[in-house]
Amino acid sequence: GSGREMLVPLITGQTPSIGGSVAVDDTEIENYSPKSALNAGMAFLSADRYSQGVIAIQSVRTNLTLSDVKRNWNTFRLDHKAEKVESEDWITKLDVKTPTSETPIGSLSGGNQQKVLLARWLQTESDVWLLDEPTRGVDVASKLTIHEQLRELRDLGACLLIVSSELEELTALCDRILVVSNRKVVATFESGQWSNEQLLAEMFSAHRGQRAVNH
């Protein structure tokens, strides 16, 4: 009931809003929609990869190159050989466990599916990343690989907004943590000014306060 799960869909235009605005590099995005968010340089990783990420019956190659098919467009058709080379490069880089790039992505483990989705956006070289539970349901090795890539993005100057229910993930990756309760920011912590105990205290005090109001 915090409302944090609504943040990324609102910012990326997937959920219609009744107010507010979104700007990238001080330029407000007009006619807001997922398409305009992508055109503004945003990348989006959904919390639900099964319904909003992977196309299970399609190959790893297709899923990985889906974010920008124009890149491999050759005159009047897709250059599948170029797609294959590109996808296999990312499979190697992110250590995706798959028999081949033509294997249906639905047969891969959750962690390997998530790495493919991450690669889909990495090749777009986006400036703004919105990551909703980026390591939910993945194995430890995949989580480490994903975190490594996110740190690399951060160090290269990309802006990352991460929504996560895992405190260890937030404290490992973030420069600032906002605690959200009842669709409002109730506390803000800068890097080096937080502890797990402080974060938990804010989360539960806000939750207790809301329960008291509801009762």
Side-chain angles (χ1 to χ4, degrees):
S2 67
R4 64 177 175 79
E5 69 278 0
M6 298 174 64
L7 281 173
V8 172
L10 278 169
I11 294 172
T12 54
Q14 297 175 88
T15 299
S17 61
I18 58 174
S21 61
V22 175
V24 176
D25 290 333
D26 297 323
T27 301
E28 186 172 333
I29 302 173
E30 299 180 358
N31 302 318
Y32 206 65
S33 67
K35 183 177 180 179
S36 59
L38 295 176
N39 290 339
M42 290 188 185
F44 168 56
L45 203 59
S46 170
D48 187 351
R49 60 178 167 270
Y50 300 109
S51 67
Q52 297 181 326
V54 301
I55 305 175
I57 63 172
Q58 295 289 345
S59 67
V60 170
R61 168 182 57 80
T62 298
N63 276 272
L64 198 153
T65 58
L66 194 60
S67 59
D68 185 9
V69 294
K70 292 180 181 178
R71 186 173 54 255
N72 293 307
W73 191 260
N74 186 1
T75 312
F76 300 109
R77 63 182 181 84
L78 274 172
D79 186 339
H80 294 307
K81 288 184 178 180
E83 283 188 330
K84 189 172 187 293
V85 170
E86 185 176 79
S87 61
E88 289 180 351
D89 284 345
W90 283 105
I91 286 169
T92 299
K93 183 175 181 180
L94 297 186
D95 193 26
V96 178
K97 305 299 184 186
T98 179
T100 73
S101 61
E102 300 306 309
T103 301
I105 195 172
S107 67
L108 272 56
S109 68
N112 285 297
Q113 290 181 20
Q114 194 73 345
K115 287 190 283 187
V116 171
L117 294 179
L118 181 64
R120 174 192 291 176
W121 294 110
L122 284 170
Q123 59 194 351
T124 66
E125 300 182 348
S126 298
D127 297 320
V128 180
W129 284 70
L130 297 112
L131 303 135
D132 203 348
E133 301 286 357
T135 58
R136 173 182 286 173
V138 308
D139 58 273
V140 174
S142 296
K143 179 180 287 190
L144 291 174
T145 299
I146 292 169
H147 282 186
E148 181 182 349
Q149 291 299 315
L150 296 183
R151 289 193 188 94
E152 186 175 322
L153 280 169
R154 179 194 62 190
D155 294 343
L156 290 172
C159 172
L160 278 64
L161 188 151
I162 301 171
V163 177
S164 179
S165 54
E166 295 188 30
L167 288 185
E168 289 185 1
E169 182 162 72
L170 295 174
T171 56
L173 297 173
C174 296
D175 300 308
R176 181 183 299 113
I177 296 177
L178 281 65
V179 180
V180 179
S181 177
N182 193 33
R183 300 176 177 84
K184 294 181 180 179
V185 176
V186 296
T188 301
F189 294 90
E190 301 291 335
S191 180
Q193 298 178 353
W194 64 59
S195 67
N196 283 357
E197 291 75 14
Q198 289 174 306
L199 291 167
L200 286 168
E202 289 292 345
M203 291 165 61
F204 285 112
S205 64
H207 180 64
R208 285 194 297 270
Q210 181 57 31
R211 288 186 63 188
V213 170
N214 289 341
H215 290 163

